[in-house]
Amino acid sequence: MNKFWQRLKKLPWQELSLVSLITVLTVAAVEIFLAIAITNSPEVRDVLKLIFASPFLGVFVPLGVAVGMGALAVYLLEWWQKQFLLDNSSLWALVFCVAIALWLKSLFPIPPLLIALSQPAFIAIAIGVFWKGRPYWRR
């Protein structure tokens, strides 16, 4: 148990939380842009109504955004910090940090057009993180 806590303390929490905040802020900026486009453009509103009213796309667009969000977090972490090695435990910590940042986003009055914190979104974020972070699984 002591070894577990030592490994947990040695994770790069500051970098992981900063990357997850940047990732969630990027998605929040896209959601704000979409909200502005919906209010100002009837064409965009009609297209988004068709997309989200569709039984197939209405379910898979938020999941796809969550997978992309997880992959974006790993990509930003690779780009930002090359001196420490990513491994399986840091990828799980990144999933946790992205989920916490997504929860923090839910506290602000930003409409959750693309993604909201839920169990399917959490699973999709983990899939995105581990899909993009596949080279780091065995380290």
Side-chain angles (χ1 to χ4, degrees):
M1 190 67 166
N2 193 17
K3 188 176 181 182
F4 172 75
W5 288 113
Q6 292 300 323
R7 286 181 57 202
L8 198 61
K9 285 181 186 178
K10 289 184 181 183
L11 288 173
W13 290 107
Q14 186 175 14
E15 290 87 1
L16 293 173
S17 29
L18 184 63
V19 163
S20 62
L21 281 175
I22 291 171
T23 302
V24 171
L25 285 176
T26 303
V27 172
V30 171
E31 286 181 335
I32 290 171
F33 175 74
L34 279 176
I36 292 171
I38 286 171
T39 58
N40 293 331
S41 174
E43 294 85 12
V44 173
R45 181 181 23 222
D46 293 340
V47 168
L48 288 177
K49 270 187 192 178
L50 284 174
I51 289 173
F52 287 114
S54 166
F56 180 74
L57 290 176
V59 172
F60 287 110
V61 167
L63 292 178
V65 169
V67 169
M69 200 165 129
L72 177 65
V74 174
Y75 175 75
L76 288 174
L77 195 59
E78 289 173 342
W79 179 74
W80 184 287
Q81 294 288 334
K82 294 191 188 274
Q83 63 259 28
F84 71 88
L85 296 175
L86 286 168
D87 59 356
N88 199 15
S89 59
S90 64
L91 290 176
W92 277 114
L94 183 62
V95 170
F96 176 71
C97 287
V98 170
I100 294 296
L102 198 57
W103 174 74
L104 288 173
K105 183 190 90 74
S106 72
L107 298 177
F108 293 101
I110 300 171
L113 296 173
L114 297 176
I115 187 169
L117 186 60
S118 64
Q119 186 176 4
F122 182 77
I123 293 169
I125 289 169
I127 289 171
V129 165
F130 283 96
W131 177 44
K132 174 69 175 130
R134 186 176 308 141
Y136 310 110
W137 285 0
R138 302 289 181 209
R139 289 186 181 181

